[in-house]
Amino acid sequence: MSVHVLKPGLLTTLQDRGRPGYAALGVGTAGAMDEVALRLANALVGNAEDAAALEITLSGPRLRFAAAATIALTGAHFNATLDGRPLAAWRPQHVAAGSVFDGGPARRGTLAYLAVAGGFLSESVLGSRSSDLNAHIGPRALRTGDELTIDNASQHAAHRRSTWSLDPRPWFDPDRARPIRLIRGTHFAALDHASQDTLFAAPFRISTQSNRVGFRLDGPHLALAAPLELISEAVTAGTVQLPPGGQPIVLMAEHPTTGGYPRIAHVAAIDRPRLAQRRPGDTLTFAEIELDDAQTRYLERERELVRLIAAIRKRQA
Amino acid sequence: MNADERALVIEPLGETVLLLRFGDDIHNALNVRVHAAAALLRAVELPGIVDLVPAYATLALHYAPEIWIGHHNTPWRHLADAVRAVFATPPADAAPPTPALVEIPVCYGGDDGPDLAEVAHHCALRTDEVIAHHAAATYTVAMLGFAPGFPYLLGLDTRLHTPRRATPRTRVTAGSVAIGGAQTGIYPAELPGGWHLIGRTPLTLFDATLDPPCLLAAGDRVRFHAIDRADFDALARPHAR
């Protein structure tokens, strides 16, 4: 079964949970920016959690389904339509052969995930079908005329007419006023006192020079109390680096595996999907969280997510 | 205090990485400890370790926190204790494996190494002396990073140390062999870069579709030898290894 790309949208890529385990080679995990929304989209169509779905950015693609399928849309709130009629998100939806999906523009948030029962197929490279655009690994972004292949063999019978949908509120937070929580990094103490205060008090703006590699933050310049000579070492998704210019960079999914800038903070794992859903131009503030607290909350969220995914599967059984 | 006596420092990097710090600078003794620690941790097979990432003076452990839930401690503290215990009583048979020695042919100078003359000028050497010194040393792959398959090599002759270019290039050709400060490296793909380009190898450093995807692994030894343009063309075929 195939899906024909009539219009690619602003930036639409195949994403799964990425390529963990190759960082020693300089290959980052990458994968979906909002992993929670990806996993729930897959669950809603009966896929394994690591199946590949489309990550849709700000302006959605237009796709024609050659055969009937079951789809689910999660993540940011888009004005999506199916054959011109509004498409309800956060639930499995039957698509008839020949139907046209149009992602439309994003109304709140940045990234939506479109999963299809069976999963989108692409060549698996280092254990993942995802696009790592920065490292040039995996498929490129969608273009008009592309044919996407769906795994027919594993089409799941998730599409009996469902009358329920997920409450997106715990999993998609469009509230741009809520601060993003940061854990102090190794070099936080090397910031001068004013900068230490500023990081947790001042608003920053997500620069237009932001992408899947990192979000650059405009706003007050942060400074070290004294220059630091650092050598390259590991960084991770959520690491907040401070280059000499004084504008912090938050590393996102396609970050390099190592870096040599001061690591002043890390975005709490529970808030990474929330940050990924913010847009260039958005203002954000930071609040401090202790690592122990952040890790405990992350594990709680994981337990809730795993419970929810199990409950969805039960309904489909 | 020498490098071996310094206490192990463990720095968390968010909720899923612990950074084991052996020091703060670039020298061989520290990097040897990093690779020995990586070999030790691979040998003891702690559960829930997703990745071990060696750098010059640190080793990063990427881990799954759900595997390290303790009764009294959060996962990062629990794992840090386990790591300290491993280093307190290392098993006797955890010696690092003998490193591989990889020979890398390089066409020095010309279009392949547009900065060779500049490096020679900075170092007050003739270009043939730069080539001779560069090809005489045996290097250690201290780490891979920056981009997939980019090797940072330790062991550059001090006579060849050259500060990075004032203005980085937006595009460096794949295979370019370069000097940046006290380091030498090879660009595995077309990338932006601020190092001085002294030559180019026809070998493929990284290809995600090959197994293994990287020509070099952290800890390997590397030697360069000079080839001419005809040799380069003969060797330059897809996926040359």
Side-chain angles (χ1 to χ4, degrees), chain B residues 191-219:
Chain B
L191 289 161
W195 293 16
H196 294 277
L197 313 181
I198 60 168
R200 198 174 154 222
T201 179
L203 300 190
T204 299
L205 271 284
F206 179 85
D207 182 336
T209 63
L210 298 184
D211 184 21
C214 274
L215 176 65
L216 301 172

Side-chain angles (χ1 to χ4, degrees), chain A residues 63-152:
Chain A
L63 310 169
R64 184 167 50 230
F65 286 78
T70 301
I71 62 171
L73 189 67
T74 63
H77 186 168
F78 276 64
N79 277 350
T81 59
L82 193 61
D83 294 327
R85 286 185 296 279
L87 176 78
W90 299 92
R91 56 176 288 181
Q93 291 276 0
H94 180 70
V95 176
S99 284
V100 173
F101 165 90
D102 194 321
R107 282 186 45 206
R108 305 185 88 175
T110 303
L111 302 165
Y113 292 84
L114 179 71
V116 57
F120 290 100
L121 288 183
S122 69
E123 192 191 347
S124 177
V125 180
L126 301 176
S128 166
R129 304 184 193 283
S130 67
S131 297
D132 184 337
L133 302 173
N134 187 47
H136 300 283
I137 298 175
R140 57 165 171 71
L142 295 201
R143 288 185 196 157
T144 300
D146 283 353
E147 294 284 341
L148 303 170
T149 308
I150 294 166
D151 189 351
N152 292 323

Side-chain angles (χ1 to χ4, degrees), chain A residues 49-306:
Chain A
E49 279 187 58
D50 59 353
L54 292 178
E55 182 178 278
I56 296 170
T57 314
L58 288 171
S59 168
R62 191 180 316 153
L63 310 169
R64 184 167 50 230
F65 286 78
T70 301
I71 62 171
L73 189 67
T74 63
H77 186 168
F78 276 64
N79 277 350
T81 59
L82 193 61
D83 294 327
R85 286 185 296 279
L87 176 78
W90 299 92
R91 56 176 288 181
Q93 291 276 0
H94 180 70
V95 176
S99 284
V100 173
F101 165 90
D102 194 321
R107 282 186 45 206
R108 305 185 88 175
T110 303
L111 302 165
Y113 292 84
L114 179 71
V116 57
F120 290 100
L121 288 183
S122 69
E123 192 191 347
S124 177
V125 180
L126 301 176
S128 166
R129 304 184 193 283
S130 67
S131 297
D132 184 337
L133 302 173
N134 187 47
H136 300 283
I137 298 175
R140 57 165 171 71
L142 295 201
R143 288 185 196 157
T144 300
D146 283 353
E147 294 284 341
L148 303 170
T149 308
I150 294 166
D151 189 351
N152 292 323
S154 60
Q155 283 253 15
H156 191 275
H159 33 276
R160 268 162 289 158
R161 222 157 278 281
S162 60
T163 53
W164 53 277
S165 64
L166 285 185
D167 177 358
R169 274 173 303 181
W171 313 109
F172 170 66
D173 173 18
D175 181 358
R176 284 179 282 184
R178 271 180 58 194
I180 297 292
R181 285 162 286 188
L182 292 184
I183 304 158
R184 289 184 186 201
T186 302
H187 306 112
F188 178 82
L191 290 171
D192 65 30
H193 285 294
S195 296
Q196 291 187 8
D197 294 341
T198 301
L199 180 61
F200 294 116
F204 291 85
R205 189 183 293 271
I206 300 174
S207 153
T208 50
Q209 290 192 315
S210 296
N211 54 26
R212 284 178 44 85
V213 177
F215 283 7
R216 288 171 186 272
L217 303 181
D218 291 334
H221 283 234
L222 303 180
L224 300 174
L228 269 180
E229 273 298 317
L230 298 176
I231 58 176
S232 281
E233 49 199 31
V235 292
T236 189
T239 298
V240 184
Q241 292 187 323
L242 187 66
Q247 302 287 186
I249 298 174
V250 186
L251 298 181
M252 303 301 281
E254 291 183 4
H255 66 86
T257 54
T258 58
Y261 293 133
R263 298 181 302 273
I264 58 171
H266 299 275
V267 172
I270 41 172
D271 281 353
R272 282 216 306 272
R274 294 180 53 225
L275 180 60
Q277 291 290 357
R278 306 281 178 99
R279 300 177 181 187
D282 278 358
T283 296
L284 55 84
T285 56
F286 295 115
E288 186 170 2
I289 186 169
E290 298 285 335
L291 174 58
D292 292 283
D293 191 14
Q295 208 168 38
T296 302
R297 286 168 192 252
Y298 168 75
L299 292 170
E300 279 167 9
R301 191 203 67 189
E302 266 305 294
R303 274 192 293 268
E304 269 176 57
L305 190 55
V306 167

Side-chain angles (χ1 to χ4, degrees), chain A residues 21-23 25 233 269 292 295, chain B residues 15 21 51 63 74 76-77 149:
Chain A
Y22 296 97
L25 306 184
E233 49 199 31
D292 292 283
Q295 208 168 38
Chain B
E15 294 96 328
R21 178 175 300 287
D51 223 335
Y63 67 100
T74 43
W76 76 272
R77 294 180 191 277

